[in-house]
């Protein structure tokens, strides 16, 4: 079943927690705990107000944006921030309320899922050029916070012709919206599961995968017909329902065979065959609650550990670097983190410090993947999604 409202006003929001009545992050801007801290903050309710801390603008630079610049979505503001990985923030652009996921095409256009629509940003000139209204109904008011309606995960087709955005519908199942990048219009709205945290596309562009956090599954959508089928991803079972922490968050498409990789709790890697719906489980070693993932062309998986669910027995925040043969290096991080991107040469990972269970901090951890050295870089306000230009 599909729901499409072609004349709908732009109303969209993001969400990213681990329980329907609990938040993966305190909805505040308090300092992050250290990696060794066992303190957890009390989760906010879904109706908690958005923080109103002042935002200082980064110093502006002129000229074309250099290659290797980072682009981050400022969930605590209404901007995306351009970050020099050596010097810090160099510019910001207003895109819309509470931006969550973003993706950048080869033409330099960034597509950003905000609470008001999908913003289109020219990253060369560093300006917003459009805002595409959502076609999904019942999104509620434009607001911030974990449980708002609207855009979450977002992905670009390999040929660049379509953008796919997962849209959260408060209190019900979400949708996957297809946007024509030429006309910048929503061309289809497909029903998926609850709170589509992440969206990925098969390497041949034929299928789109929406990771449905609150329904313990992934929706496989045919990119041509928009037919959809859902596959359960629940290695710990579904006990606890909406209140469970043990749900899928982000996925990566394995380059070698197109299987979907879902890390859970630094304990289990669920490998899903999207063709058959069957899954296998491989052992992981970080023993921490995991969120953002990415995979490099050689098959190395990077998974962000946000910190312990149970501080008495789980480990703190970390970045797991897992080679294609299953060998892992776990790099400790200081404080909560959410998502990750990798430099073009594969030597450096950039991990955002935004919206996670134990608070957040306004920066990025820059991780040398060879030595394991980590340095912290101020960047944006509550940064979530990240891409390397």
């Amino acid at each position: 079943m599909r729901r499409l409202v072609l004349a709908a006003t732009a109303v969209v929001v993001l969400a990213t927690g681990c329980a329907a009545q609990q938040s993966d992050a305190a909805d505040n801007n308090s300092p992050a705990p250290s990696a060794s801290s066992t303190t957890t903050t009390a989760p906010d309710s879904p109706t908690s107000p958005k923080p109103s801390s002042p935002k200082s603008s980064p110093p502006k630079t002129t000229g074309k944006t250099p290659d290797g610049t980072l682009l981050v979505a400022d969930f605590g503001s209404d901007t995306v921030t351009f970050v020099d990985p050596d010097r810090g923030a160099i510019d910001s652009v207003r895109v819309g309320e509470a931006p969550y996921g973003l993706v950048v095409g080869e033409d330099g256009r960034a597509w950003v899922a905000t609470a008001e629509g999908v913003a289109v940003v020219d990253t060369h000139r560093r300006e917003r050029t459009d805002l595409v209204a959502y076609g999904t109904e019942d999104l509620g008011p434009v607001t911030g916070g974990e449980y708002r309606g609207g855009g979450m995960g977002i992905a670009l087709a390999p040929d660049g012709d379509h953008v796919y955005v997962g849209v959260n519908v408060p209190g019900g199942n979400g949708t996957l919206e297809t946007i024509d990048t030429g006309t910048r219009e929503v061309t289809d709205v497909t029903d998926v599961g609850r709170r589509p945290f992440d969206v990925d596309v098969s390497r041949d562009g034929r299928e789109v995968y929406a990771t449905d956090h609150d329904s313990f599954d992934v929706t496989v959508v045919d990119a041509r017909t928009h037919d959809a089928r859902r596959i359960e991803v629940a290695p710990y079972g579904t006990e606890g329902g909406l209140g469970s922490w043990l749900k899928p968050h982000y996925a990566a498409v394995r380059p070698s065979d197109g299987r979907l990789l879902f890390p859970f709790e630094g304990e289990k890697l669920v490998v899903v065959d999207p063709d058959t719906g069957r899954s296998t489980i491989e052992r992981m070693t970080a023993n921490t609650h995991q969120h953002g993932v990415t995979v490099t062309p050689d098959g190395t998986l990077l998974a962000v550990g946000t910190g312990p669910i149970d501080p008495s027995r789980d480990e703190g925040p970390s970045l797991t670097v897992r080679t294609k043969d299953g060998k892992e290096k776990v790099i400790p991080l200081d404080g909560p983190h959410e998502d990750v991107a990798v430099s073009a040469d594969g030597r450096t990972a950039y991990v955002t410090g935004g919206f996670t269970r134990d608070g957040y901090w306004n920066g990025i951890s820059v991780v040398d993947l060879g030595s394991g050295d980590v340095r912290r870089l101020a960047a944006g306000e509550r940064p979530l999604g990240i891409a390397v230009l």
Side-chain angles (χ1 to χ4, degrees), residues 66-78:
D67 291 343
T69 299
L70 310 176
L71 183 67
V72 297
D74 297 326
F75 184 63
S77 183
D78 59 0

Side-chain angles (χ1 to χ4, degrees), residues 63-65 82 91 93 108 121-127 129:
K64 182 179 177 180
T65 306
F82 292 80
D91 206 348
V93 174
V121 176
D122 182 328
T123 64
H124 300 312
R125 295 184 295 168
R126 299 197 293 276
E127 64 181 28
T129 60

